[in-house]
Coordinates of all heavy atoms in Angstrom, one line a residue:
M217 N -14.0 29.3 1.9 CA -13.9 30.7 1.5 C -15.2 31.2 1.1 O -16.0 30.6 0.4 CB -12.9 30.7 0.2 CG -12.9 32.1 -0.4 SD -11.6 32.2 -1.7 CE -11.8 30.8 -2.7
A218 N -15.6 32.4 1.6 CA -16.9 33.0 1.4 C -16.9 33.6 0.0 O -15.9 34.1 -0.5 CB -17.2 34.0 2.4
D219 N -18.1 33.6 -0.6 CA -18.2 34.1 -2.0 C -17.9 35.6 -2.0 O -17.5 36.1 -3.0 CB -19.6 33.8 -2.5 CG -19.8 32.4 -2.8 OD1 -18.8 31.7 -3.1 OD2 -21.0 31.9 -2.8
S220 N -18.2 36.3 -0.9 CA -18.0 37.8 -0.9 C -16.5 38.2 -0.6 O -16.2 39.3 -0.6 CB -18.9 38.4 0.2 OG -18.5 37.8 1.5
E221 N -15.7 37.2 -0.3 CA -14.3 37.5 0.0 C -13.6 38.0 -1.2 O -13.7 37.5 -2.3 CB -13.5 36.3 0.6 CG -12.2 36.6 1.1 CD -11.5 35.4 1.8 OE1 -12.2 34.3 1.9 OE2 -10.4 35.5 2.1
V222 N -12.8 39.1 -1.0 CA -12.0 39.7 -2.1 C -11.0 38.6 -2.6 O -10.4 37.9 -1.9 CB -11.3 40.9 -1.7 CG1 -10.4 41.5 -2.8 CG2 -12.3 42.0 -1.2
Q223 N -10.8 38.6 -3.9 CA -9.9 37.7 -4.6 C -8.7 38.5 -5.1 O -8.9 39.7 -5.5 CB -10.5 36.9 -5.7 CG -11.6 36.0 -5.3 CD -11.1 34.7 -4.7 OE1 -10.6 33.9 -5.4 NE2 -11.3 34.6 -3.4
V224 N -7.5 38.0 -5.1 CA -6.3 38.6 -5.6 C -5.7 37.7 -6.6 O -5.9 36.5 -6.7 CB -5.3 39.0 -4.5 CG1 -5.9 40.0 -3.5 CG2 -4.9 37.7 -3.8
P225 N -4.8 38.3 -7.5 CA -4.1 37.4 -8.5 C -3.3 36.4 -7.8 O -2.7 36.6 -6.7 CB -3.2 38.4 -9.2 CG -3.9 39.7 -9.1 CD -4.6 39.7 -7.7
N226 N -3.3 35.2 -8.3 CA -2.6 34.0 -7.8 C -1.1 34.2 -8.0 O -0.6 34.1 -9.1 CB -3.1 32.8 -8.4 CG -2.6 31.5 -7.9 OD1 -1.6 31.5 -7.2 ND2 -3.2 30.4 -8.2
P227 N -0.3 34.4 -6.9 CA 1.1 34.6 -7.1 C 1.8 33.3 -7.6 O 2.8 33.4 -8.3 CB 1.6 35.0 -5.7 CG 0.6 34.5 -4.8 CD -0.7 34.5 -5.5
R228 N 1.3 32.2 -7.2 CA 1.9 30.9 -7.7 C 1.8 30.8 -9.2 O 2.7 30.4 -9.9 CB 1.3 29.7 -7.0 CG 1.9 28.4 -7.4 CD 1.3 27.3 -6.5 NE 1.4 26.0 -7.1 CZ 2.5 25.3 -7.3 NH1 3.7 25.8 -7.0 NH2 2.5 24.1 -7.8
K229 N 0.6 31.1 -9.7 CA 0.4 31.1 -11.1 C 1.3 32.1 -11.8 O 1.9 31.8 -12.9 CB -1.1 31.4 -11.5 CG -1.4 31.2 -12.9 CD -2.9 31.2 -13.2 CE -3.1 30.8 -14.7 NZ -4.5 30.5 -14.9
A230 N 1.5 33.3 -11.3 CA 2.4 34.3 -11.8 C 3.8 33.8 -11.9 O 4.5 33.9 -12.9 CB 2.3 35.6 -11.1
D231 N 4.2 33.1 -10.8 CA 5.6 32.6 -10.8 C 5.8 31.5 -11.8 O 6.8 31.4 -12.5 CB 5.9 32.0 -9.4 CG 6.2 33.1 -8.3 OD1 6.4 34.3 -8.7 OD2 6.3 32.7 -7.2
L232 N 4.8 30.6 -12.0 CA 4.8 29.6 -13.0 C 4.9 30.1 -14.4 O 5.6 29.6 -15.2 CB 3.6 28.6 -12.8 CG 3.7 27.6 -11.6 CD1 2.3 27.0 -11.4 CD2 4.8 26.6 -11.8
E233 N 4.1 31.2 -14.6 CA 4.1 31.8 -15.9 C 5.5 32.5 -16.2 O 6.0 32.4 -17.3 CB 3.0 32.9 -16.0 CG 1.7 32.2 -16.1 CD 0.5 33.1 -16.0 OE1 0.7 34.2 -15.4 OE2 -0.6 32.7 -16.3
R234 N 6.1 33.1 -15.2 CA 7.5 33.6 -15.4 C 8.5 32.5 -15.7 O 9.3 32.6 -16.5 CB 7.9 34.4 -14.1 CG 7.5 35.9 -14.2 CD 8.1 36.7 -13.1 NE 7.8 36.3 -11.7 CZ 6.6 36.6 -11.1 NH1 5.8 37.3 -11.7 NH2 6.4 36.2 -9.9
L235 N 8.3 31.4 -14.9 CA 9.2 30.2 -15.1 C 9.1 29.8 -16.6 O 10.1 29.5 -17.2 CB 8.8 29.1 -14.2 CG 9.5 27.8 -14.4 CD1 11.0 27.9 -14.2 CD2 8.9 26.7 -13.5
R236 N 7.8 29.7 -17.0 CA 7.6 29.2 -18.4 C 8.3 30.1 -19.4 O 8.9 29.6 -20.4 CB 6.1 29.1 -18.7 CG 5.9 28.2 -19.9 CD 4.7 28.6 -20.7 NE 4.5 27.6 -21.8 CZ 5.1 27.7 -23.0 NH1 6.1 28.5 -23.2 NH2 4.8 26.8 -23.9
S237 N 8.1 31.4 -19.2 CA 8.7 32.4 -20.1 C 10.2 32.2 -20.2 O 10.8 32.2 -21.2 CB 8.3 33.8 -19.7 OG 8.9 34.7 -20.5
D238 N 10.8 32.2 -19.0 CA 12.3 32.0 -18.9 C 12.7 30.7 -19.5 O 13.7 30.6 -20.2 CB 12.8 32.1 -17.4 CG 12.6 33.4 -16.8 OD1 12.3 34.4 -17.6 OD2 12.6 33.5 -15.6
L239 N 12.0 29.6 -19.2 CA 12.4 28.3 -19.7 C 12.2 28.2 -21.2 O 13.1 27.6 -21.9 CB 11.5 27.3 -19.1 CG 11.8 25.8 -19.3 CD1 13.2 25.5 -18.9 CD2 10.8 24.9 -18.6
A240 N 11.2 28.9 -21.8 CA 11.0 28.8 -23.2 C 12.2 29.5 -24.0 O 12.6 29.0 -25.1 CB 9.7 29.6 -23.6
K241 N 12.9 30.4 -23.3 CA 14.0 31.1 -23.9 C 15.2 30.2 -23.9 O 16.1 30.3 -24.7 CB 14.4 32.4 -23.2 CG 13.3 33.4 -23.3 CD 13.6 34.6 -22.4 CE 12.4 35.6 -22.3 NZ 12.6 36.6 -21.3
E242 N 15.3 29.2 -23.0 CA 16.4 28.3 -22.8 C 16.3 26.9 -23.4 O 17.3 26.2 -23.6 CB 16.7 28.2 -21.3 CG 17.0 29.5 -20.6 CD 18.3 30.1 -21.1 OE1 19.2 29.5 -21.5 OE2 18.3 31.4 -21.1
V243 N 15.1 26.6 -23.8 CA 14.8 25.2 -24.2 C 15.7 24.8 -25.4 O 16.3 23.7 -25.4 CB 13.3 25.0 -24.6 CG1 13.1 23.8 -25.5 CG2 12.5 24.9 -23.3
E244 N 15.9 25.6 -26.4 CA 16.6 25.2 -27.6 C 18.1 25.0 -27.2 O 18.7 24.1 -27.7 CB 16.5 26.2 -28.7 CG 16.9 25.7 -30.0 CD 16.2 24.5 -30.5 OE1 15.0 24.2 -30.1 OE2 16.8 23.6 -31.2
S245 N 18.7 25.9 -26.4 CA 20.1 25.7 -26.0 C 20.3 24.5 -25.2 O 21.3 23.8 -25.3 CB 20.6 27.0 -25.4 OG 20.0 27.2 -24.1
L246 N 19.3 24.2 -24.3 CA 19.4 23.0 -23.5 C 19.3 21.8 -24.4 O 20.0 20.8 -24.2 CB 18.2 22.9 -22.5 CG 18.3 23.9 -21.3 CD1 17.0 23.9 -20.5 CD2 19.5 23.5 -20.4
R247 N 18.4 21.8 -25.4 CA 18.2 20.6 -26.3 C 19.5 20.4 -27.0 O 19.9 19.2 -27.3 CB 17.1 20.9 -27.2 CG 16.7 19.7 -28.0 CD 15.5 20.0 -28.9 NE 14.3 20.2 -28.2 CZ 13.5 21.2 -28.2 NH1 13.8 22.3 -28.9 NH2 12.4 21.3 -27.5
K248 N 20.3 21.4 -27.4 CA 21.5 21.3 -28.2 C 22.8 21.2 -27.3 O 23.9 21.2 -27.9 CB 21.6 22.5 -29.1 CG 20.5 22.5 -30.2 CD 20.7 23.7 -31.0 CE 19.6 23.8 -32.1 NZ 19.8 25.0 -32.9
A249 N 22.6 21.1 -26.0 CA 23.8 21.2 -25.1 C 24.9 20.3 -25.5 O 26.1 20.7 -25.4 CB 23.3 21.0 -23.7
L250 N 24.7 19.0 -25.8 CA 25.7 18.1 -26.1 C 25.9 17.8 -27.5 O 26.7 17.0 -27.9 CB 25.4 16.8 -25.4 CG 25.4 16.8 -23.8 CD1 24.9 15.5 -23.3 CD2 26.7 17.2 -23.3
K251 N 25.3 18.6 -28.4 CA 25.3 18.3 -29.8 C 26.8 18.5 -30.3 O 27.3 17.6 -31.0 CB 24.4 19.2 -30.6 CG 24.4 19.0 -32.0 CD 23.4 19.8 -32.8 CE 23.4 19.5 -34.3 NZ 22.5 20.3 -35.0
G252 N 27.4 19.6 -30.0 CA 28.7 19.9 -30.5 C 29.7 18.9 -30.1 O 30.4 18.3 -31.0
P253 N 29.9 18.6 -28.8 CA 30.8 17.6 -28.4 C 30.5 16.2 -29.0 O 31.5 15.5 -29.3 CB 30.7 17.5 -26.9 CG 30.1 18.9 -26.5 CD 29.3 19.3 -27.7
T254 N 29.3 15.9 -29.1 CA 28.9 14.6 -29.7 C 29.4 14.5 -31.1 O 29.9 13.4 -31.5 CB 27.4 14.3 -29.6 OG1 26.9 14.4 -28.2 CG2 27.0 13.0 -30.2
E255 N 29.2 15.5 -31.9 CA 29.6 15.5 -33.3 C 31.1 15.5 -33.4 O 31.7 14.8 -34.3 CB 29.0 16.7 -34.0 CG 27.5 16.6 -34.2 CD 26.9 17.8 -34.8 OE1 27.6 18.9 -34.9 OE2 25.7 17.8 -35.2
E256 N 31.8 16.3 -32.5 CA 33.2 16.3 -32.6 C 33.9 15.0 -32.3 O 34.8 14.5 -33.0 CB 33.8 17.4 -31.7 CG 33.5 18.8 -32.2 CD 33.9 19.9 -31.2 OE1 34.6 19.6 -30.2 OE2 33.5 21.0 -31.5
I257 N 33.4 14.4 -31.2 CA 34.0 13.1 -30.8 C 33.6 12.0 -31.8 O 34.3 11.1 -32.1 CB 33.6 12.7 -29.4 CG1 34.3 13.6 -28.4 CG2 33.9 11.3 -29.1 CD1 34.1 13.4 -27.0
G258 N 32.5 12.1 -32.5 CA 32.0 11.2 -33.4 C 32.8 11.2 -34.8 O 32.8 10.3 -35.5
G259 N 33.4 12.4 -35.0 CA 34.2 12.5 -36.2 C 35.5 11.9 -36.1 O 35.9 11.4 -35.0
D260 N 36.3 12.0 -37.1 CA 37.7 11.5 -37.1 C 38.8 12.5 -36.8 O 39.9 12.2 -36.9 CB 38.0 10.7 -38.4 CG 37.2 9.4 -38.5 OD1 36.8 8.9 -37.5 OD2 36.9 9.0 -39.7
R261 N 38.4 13.7 -36.6 CA 39.4 14.8 -36.5 C 39.8 15.0 -35.0 O 40.9 15.5 -34.7 CB 38.8 16.1 -37.0 CG 38.6 16.0 -38.5 CD 38.2 17.4 -39.1 NE 36.9 17.8 -38.5 CZ 36.4 19.0 -38.6 NH1 37.0 19.9 -39.4 NH2 35.3 19.3 -38.1
V262 N 38.9 14.7 -34.0 CA 39.2 14.9 -32.6 C 39.9 13.7 -32.0 O 40.9 13.9 -31.3 CB 38.0 15.4 -31.9 CG1 38.2 15.5 -30.4 CG2 37.4 16.7 -32.5
W263 N 39.3 12.6 -32.2 CA 39.7 11.4 -31.4 C 39.2 10.2 -32.2 O 38.1 10.2 -32.6 CB 39.1 11.5 -30.0 CG 39.6 10.5 -29.0 CD1 40.7 9.7 -29.0 CD2 38.9 10.2 -27.8 NE1 40.8 9.0 -27.9 CE2 39.7 9.2 -27.1 CE3 37.8 10.6 -27.2 CZ2 39.4 8.7 -25.9 CZ3 37.4 10.0 -26.0 CH2 38.2 9.1 -25.3
V264 N 40.1 9.2 -32.3 CA 39.7 8.0 -33.1 C 40.1 6.8 -32.2 O 40.8 6.9 -31.3 CB 40.4 7.9 -34.4 CG1 40.0 9.0 -35.3 CG2 41.9 7.9 -34.3
G265 N 39.5 5.7 -32.6 CA 39.8 4.4 -31.9 C 38.6 3.9 -31.1 O 37.5 4.5 -31.1
K266 N 38.9 2.8 -30.5 CA 37.8 2.1 -29.7 C 37.2 2.9 -28.6 O 36.0 3.0 -28.4 CB 38.4 0.8 -29.2 CG 37.5 0.0 -28.4 CD 38.2 -1.3 -27.8 CE 37.3 -2.0 -26.9 NZ 38.0 -3.2 -26.3
N267 N 38.1 3.6 -27.8 CA 37.6 4.4 -26.7 C 36.8 5.6 -27.2 O 35.9 6.0 -26.6 CB 38.8 4.9 -25.9 CG 39.4 3.8 -25.0 OD1 38.7 2.8 -24.8 ND2 40.6 3.9 -24.6
A268 N 37.3 6.2 -28.4 CA 36.6 7.3 -28.9 C 35.1 6.9 -29.3 O 34.2 7.6 -29.1 CB 37.3 7.9 -30.1
R269 N 35.0 5.7 -29.9 CA 33.7 5.3 -30.3 C 32.8 5.0 -29.1 O 31.6 5.3 -29.1 CB 33.8 4.0 -31.2 CG 34.3 4.2 -32.6 CD 34.3 3.0 -33.5 NE 35.1 1.9 -33.0 CZ 36.4 1.7 -33.2 NH1 37.0 2.6 -33.9 NH2 37.0 0.7 -32.7
A270 N 33.4 4.5 -28.1 CA 32.6 4.3 -26.8 C 32.1 5.6 -26.2 O 31.0 5.7 -25.8 CB 33.4 3.5 -25.8
W271 N 33.0 6.6 -26.2 CA 32.7 7.9 -25.7 C 31.6 8.5 -26.6 O 30.6 9.1 -26.1 CB 33.9 8.8 -25.6 CG 34.6 8.7 -24.3 CD1 35.5 7.8 -23.9 CD2 34.6 9.7 -23.3 NE1 36.0 8.0 -22.7 CE2 35.4 9.2 -22.3 CE3 33.9 10.9 -23.1 CZ2 35.6 9.9 -21.1 CZ3 34.1 11.6 -21.9 CH2 34.9 11.1 -20.9
H272 N 31.7 8.3 -27.9 CA 30.7 8.9 -28.8 C 29.4 8.3 -28.5 O 28.4 9.0 -28.5 CB 31.2 8.7 -30.2 CG 30.2 9.2 -31.2 ND1 29.4 8.4 -32.0 CD2 29.8 10.5 -31.5 CE1 28.6 9.1 -32.7 NE2 28.8 10.4 -32.5
R273 N 29.3 7.0 -28.4 CA 28.0 6.3 -28.1 C 27.4 6.8 -26.8 O 26.2 7.1 -26.7 CB 28.2 4.8 -28.1 CG 28.3 4.1 -29.4 CD 28.2 2.6 -29.3 NE 29.2 2.0 -28.5 CZ 30.4 1.7 -28.9 NH1 30.8 1.9 -30.1 NH2 31.3 1.2 -28.0
E274 N 28.3 7.0 -25.8 CA 27.8 7.5 -24.5 C 27.2 8.9 -24.6 O 26.2 9.2 -24.1 CB 28.9 7.4 -23.5 CG 28.6 8.0 -22.1 CD 27.6 7.2 -21.3 OE1 27.5 6.0 -21.5 OE2 27.0 7.8 -20.4
L275 N 28.0 9.7 -25.3 CA 27.5 11.1 -25.5 C 26.3 11.2 -26.3 O 25.4 12.0 -26.0 CB 28.6 12.0 -26.1 CG 29.6 12.7 -25.2 CD1 30.6 13.4 -26.0 CD2 28.9 13.6 -24.2
E276 N 26.2 10.4 -27.3 CA 25.0 10.3 -28.2 C 23.8 10.0 -27.4 O 22.7 10.6 -27.5 CB 25.2 9.3 -29.3 CG 24.7 9.7 -30.6 CD 25.2 8.7 -31.7 OE1 25.4 7.6 -31.4 OE2 25.3 9.2 -32.8
G277 N 23.9 9.0 -26.5 CA 22.8 8.5 -25.6 C 22.4 9.6 -24.7 O 21.2 9.9 -24.5
R278 N 23.4 10.3 -24.1 CA 23.1 11.4 -23.2 C 22.4 12.5 -23.9 O 21.5 13.2 -23.4 CB 24.3 11.8 -22.4 CG 24.8 10.8 -21.4 CD 26.1 11.3 -20.8 NE 26.6 10.2 -19.9 CZ 26.8 10.4 -18.6 NH1 26.5 11.6 -18.1 NH2 27.3 9.4 -17.9
H279 N 22.9 12.8 -25.1 CA 22.3 13.9 -25.9 C 20.8 13.6 -26.2 O 20.0 14.5 -26.1 CB 23.1 14.1 -27.2 CG 22.6 15.2 -28.0 ND1 22.1 14.9 -29.3 CD2 22.5 16.5 -27.8 CE1 21.7 16.1 -29.8 NE2 21.9 17.1 -29.0
K280 N 20.6 12.4 -26.6 CA 19.2 12.0 -26.9 C 18.3 12.1 -25.6 O 17.2 12.6 -25.7 CB 19.2 10.6 -27.4 CG 17.8 10.1 -27.8 CD 17.8 8.7 -28.3 CE 16.4 8.2 -28.6 NZ 16.3 6.8 -28.9
R281 N 18.8 11.6 -24.5 CA 18.0 11.6 -23.3 C 17.8 13.0 -22.8 O 16.7 13.4 -22.3 CB 18.7 10.8 -22.1 CG 18.5 9.3 -22.3 CD 19.0 8.5 -21.1 NE 20.4 8.7 -20.8 CZ 21.5 8.2 -21.3 NH1 21.3 7.3 -22.3 NH2 22.7 8.4 -20.9
L282 N 18.8 13.9 -22.9 CA 18.6 15.3 -22.5 C 17.5 15.9 -23.4 O 16.7 16.6 -22.9 CB 20.0 16.0 -22.7 CG 19.9 17.5 -22.4 CD1 19.6 17.7 -20.9 CD2 21.3 18.1 -22.7
G283 N 17.6 15.7 -24.7 CA 16.6 16.2 -25.6 C 15.2 15.8 -25.2 O 14.2 16.6 -25.2
E284 N 15.0 14.5 -24.9 CA 13.7 13.9 -24.5 C 13.2 14.6 -23.2 O 12.0 14.9 -23.1 CB 13.8 12.4 -24.3 CG 14.0 11.7 -25.6 CD 14.4 10.2 -25.4 OE1 14.7 9.8 -24.2 OE2 14.5 9.5 -26.4
R285 N 14.1 14.8 -22.3 CA 13.7 15.4 -21.0 C 13.3 16.9 -21.2 O 12.4 17.4 -20.6 CB 14.8 15.2 -19.9 CG 14.8 13.8 -19.5 CD 15.9 13.5 -18.5 NE 15.8 12.1 -18.1 CZ 16.9 11.4 -17.7 NH1 18.1 12.0 -17.6 NH2 16.8 10.1 -17.4
V286 N 14.1 17.6 -22.0 CA 13.9 19.0 -22.2 C 12.5 19.1 -22.9 O 11.7 20.1 -22.6 CB 15.0 19.6 -23.1 CG1 14.6 21.0 -23.6 CG2 16.2 19.8 -22.2
D287 N 12.2 18.2 -23.8 CA 10.9 18.3 -24.5 C 9.7 18.1 -23.6 O 8.6 18.5 -23.9 CB 10.8 17.2 -25.6 CG 11.7 17.6 -26.8 OD1 12.1 18.7 -26.9 OD2 12.0 16.6 -27.6
R288 N 9.9 17.6 -22.4 CA 8.8 17.4 -21.4 C 8.7 18.6 -20.5 O 7.7 18.7 -19.7 CB 9.1 16.2 -20.6 CG 9.0 14.9 -21.3 CD 9.1 13.7 -20.4 NE 9.8 12.7 -21.1 CZ 10.7 11.8 -20.5 NH1 10.9 11.9 -19.2 NH2 11.3 10.9 -21.2
L289 N 9.7 19.5 -20.4 CA 9.6 20.6 -19.5 C 8.5 21.6 -19.7 O 7.7 21.8 -18.7 CB 10.9 21.4 -19.5 CG 12.2 20.7 -19.0 CD1 13.4 21.5 -19.3 CD2 12.0 20.4 -17.5
L290 N 8.3 22.1 -20.9 CA 7.3 23.1 -21.1 C 5.9 22.5 -20.9 O 5.0 23.1 -20.3 CB 7.4 23.8 -22.5 CG 8.6 24.7 -22.6 CD1 8.7 25.3 -24.0 CD2 8.5 25.9 -21.6
P291 N 5.6 21.3 -21.4 CA 4.3 20.7 -21.2 C 4.0 20.5 -19.7 O 2.9 20.7 -19.2 CB 4.3 19.4 -21.9 CG 5.3 19.6 -23.0 CD 6.3 20.5 -22.4
A292 N 5.0 20.2 -18.9 CA 4.8 20.0 -17.4 C 4.5 21.3 -16.8 O 3.6 21.4 -15.9 CB 6.1 19.4 -16.8
V293 N 5.2 22.4 -17.2 CA 4.9 23.7 -16.6 C 3.5 24.2 -17.1 O 2.8 24.7 -16.3 CB 6.0 24.7 -17.0 CG1 5.6 26.1 -16.5 CG2 7.3 24.3 -16.4
D294 N 3.2 23.9 -18.3 CA 1.9 24.3 -18.8 C 0.8 23.6 -18.0 O -0.2 24.3 -17.7 CB 1.7 24.0 -20.3 CG 2.6 24.9 -21.2 OD1 2.9 26.0 -20.8 OD2 2.8 24.5 -22.4
A295 N 0.9 22.4 -17.7 CA -0.1 21.6 -17.0 C -0.2 22.2 -15.6 O -1.3 22.4 -15.0 CB 0.3 20.2 -16.9
A296 N 0.9 22.6 -15.0 CA 0.9 23.2 -13.6 C 0.2 24.5 -13.7 O -0.6 24.9 -12.8 CB 2.3 23.4 -13.1
I297 N 0.4 25.3 -14.7 CA -0.3 26.6 -14.9 C -1.8 26.4 -15.0 O -2.6 27.1 -14.4 CB 0.3 27.4 -16.1 CG1 1.7 27.9 -15.8 CG2 -0.6 28.6 -16.4 CD1 2.5 28.4 -17.0
R298 N -2.2 25.4 -15.8 CA -3.6 25.2 -16.0 C -4.3 24.7 -14.7 O -5.5 25.0 -14.5 CB -3.8 24.1 -17.1 CG -3.7 24.6 -18.5 CD -4.1 23.6 -19.5 NE -3.5 22.3 -19.4 CZ -2.3 21.9 -19.9 NH1 -1.7 22.8 -20.7 NH2 -1.8 20.7 -19.8
G299 N -3.5 24.1 -13.9 CA -4.1 23.6 -12.6 C -4.2 24.7 -11.5 O -4.8 24.4 -10.4
E300 N -3.8 25.9 -11.8 CA -3.8 27.0 -10.8 C -5.0 27.9 -11.2 O -5.2 28.3 -12.3 CB -2.5 27.8 -10.8 CG -1.4 27.1 -10.2 CD -1.5 26.9 -8.8 OE1 -2.0 27.7 -8.1 OE2 -1.0 25.8 -8.3
P301 N -5.8 28.3 -10.1 CA -6.8 29.3 -10.4 C -6.2 30.7 -10.6 O -5.1 31.0 -10.2 CB -7.6 29.3 -9.0 CG -6.6 28.9 -8.0 CD -5.7 27.9 -8.7
D302 N -6.9 31.5 -11.4 CA -6.4 32.9 -11.7 C -6.4 33.7 -10.4 O -5.5 34.5 -10.2 CB -7.3 33.6 -12.7 CG -7.2 32.9 -14.1 OD1 -6.2 32.3 -14.4 OD2 -8.2 33.0 -14.8
K303 N -7.4 33.6 -9.5 CA -7.5 34.4 -8.3 C -7.5 33.5 -7.1 O -8.0 32.4 -7.2 CB -8.7 35.2 -8.4 CG -8.8 36.1 -9.6 CD -8.3 37.5 -9.2 CE -8.5 38.4 -10.4 NZ -8.1 39.7 -10.1
V304 N -7.0 34.0 -6.0 CA -7.0 33.3 -4.7 C -7.4 34.3 -3.6 O -7.3 35.5 -3.9 CB -5.7 32.6 -4.4 CG1 -5.4 31.4 -5.4 CG2 -4.6 33.5 -4.3
S305 N -7.6 33.8 -2.4 CA -7.9 34.7 -1.3 C -6.6 35.4 -0.9 O -5.5 34.9 -1.1 CB -8.5 33.9 -0.2 OG -7.5 33.1 0.4
P306 N -6.7 36.6 -0.3 CA -5.5 37.2 0.2 C -4.7 36.4 1.1 O -3.5 36.4 1.1 CB -6.0 38.5 0.9 CG -7.3 38.8 0.2 CD -7.9 37.4 -0.1
S307 N -5.4 35.6 2.0 CA -4.6 34.7 2.9 C -3.9 33.6 2.2 O -2.8 33.3 2.6 CB -5.6 34.2 4.0 OG -6.6 33.4 3.4
E308 N -4.5 33.1 1.1 CA -3.8 32.0 0.4 C -2.5 32.6 -0.4 O -1.5 32.0 -0.4 CB -4.7 31.4 -0.7 CG -5.8 30.5 -0.1 CD -6.8 30.1 -1.1 OE1 -7.3 30.9 -1.9 OE2 -7.0 28.8 -1.2
A309 N -2.7 33.8 -0.9 CA -1.6 34.5 -1.6 C -0.5 34.8 -0.6 O 0.7 34.6 -0.8 CB -2.1 35.8 -2.2
R310 N -0.8 35.3 0.6 CA 0.2 35.6 1.7 C 0.9 34.3 2.1 O 2.1 34.3 2.2 CB -0.6 36.2 2.9 CG 0.0 37.5 3.4 CD -0.7 38.1 4.6 NE -2.0 37.6 5.0 CZ -3.1 38.0 4.5 NH1 -3.2 39.0 3.7 NH2 -4.2 37.5 5.0
A311 N 0.1 33.2 2.3 CA 0.7 32.0 2.7 C 1.7 31.5 1.6 O 2.8 31.0 2.0 CB -0.3 30.9 2.9
Y312 N 1.4 31.6 0.4 CA 2.3 31.2 -0.7 C 3.6 32.1 -0.6 O 4.7 31.5 -0.7 CB 1.6 31.3 -2.1 CG 2.6 31.1 -3.2 CD1 3.0 29.8 -3.5 CD2 3.2 32.1 -3.9 CE1 4.0 29.6 -4.5 CE2 4.1 31.9 -4.9 CZ 4.5 30.6 -5.2 OH 5.4 30.4 -6.2
R313 N 3.4 33.4 -0.5 CA 4.6 34.2 -0.5 C 5.5 34.0 0.7 O 6.7 34.1 0.6 CB 4.2 35.7 -0.5 CG 3.6 36.1 -1.9 CD 3.4 37.7 -1.9 NE 2.5 38.0 -3.0 CZ 1.2 38.3 -2.8 NH1 0.7 38.4 -1.6 NH2 0.5 38.6 -3.9
N314 N 4.8 33.6 1.8 CA 5.6 33.3 3.0 C 6.2 31.9 3.1 O 6.8 31.5 4.0 CB 4.7 33.6 4.3 CG 4.4 35.0 4.5 OD1 5.1 35.9 4.0 ND2 3.3 35.3 5.1
G315 N 5.8 31.1 2.1 CA 6.3 29.7 2.0 C 5.6 28.8 3.0 O 6.2 27.8 3.4
T316 N 4.4 29.1 3.4 CA 3.7 28.2 4.3 C 2.5 27.5 3.6 O 2.1 27.9 2.6 CB 3.2 28.9 5.5 OG1 2.4 30.0 5.1 CG2 4.4 29.4 6.4

């Protein structure tokens, strides 16, 4: 790329920033997705017995793993954003928009 070539805003970076914004709004609900069912099955009002305890352990594990994975989402997107230049050549921007 020649130094004199006009640069345009990087559309990939803009898409990643929109993704981050949308994701930030959803992170807390994703983190809590299995909390209610886990607590209900873990109590004695919904279901009791050996099978109920097994289901509760399974849900508790899934809830924990979901939370751990959700906690990694924003840092991963942030890293991708940092790896993108602010400006790119018009041909690079066009190629990204066209999916090539």
Side-chain angles (χ1 to χ4, degrees):
M217 171 171 51
D219 289 335
S220 62
E221 190 174 353
V222 176
Q223 299 279 290
V224 297
N226 183 344
R228 178 172 161 71
K229 187 168 187 171
D231 284 350
L232 285 168
E233 288 168 341
R234 272 191 297 281
L235 171 65
R236 195 211 187 280
S237 176
D238 293 346
L239 187 57
K241 295 172 189 171
E242 300 296 328
V243 161
E244 197 56 34
S245 63
L246 288 170
R247 190 179 286 121
K248 293 179 180 177
L250 295 175
K251 183 178 181 180
T254 301
E255 290 173 351
E256 288 175 9
I257 289 179
D260 290 335
R261 294 184 300 172
V262 175
W263 190 16
V264 295
K266 180 181 173 183
N267 288 339
R269 286 188 299 277
W271 270 78
H272 179 252
R273 281 190 303 275
E274 175 70 22
L275 271 178
E276 220 170 29
R278 288 176 185 242
H279 180 245
K280 182 181 176 188
R281 284 189 303 277
L282 178 63
E284 290 167 352
R285 290 180 178 151
V286 166
D287 288 341
R288 291 186 218 144
L289 291 173
L290 288 176
V293 175
D294 288 340
I297 291 170
R298 282 191 306 273
E300 288 292 324
D302 291 335
K303 303 267 186 177
V304 295
S305 70
S307 60
E308 289 172 310
R310 230 180 351 269
Y312 172 76
R313 286 189 200 104
N314 291 334
T316 54

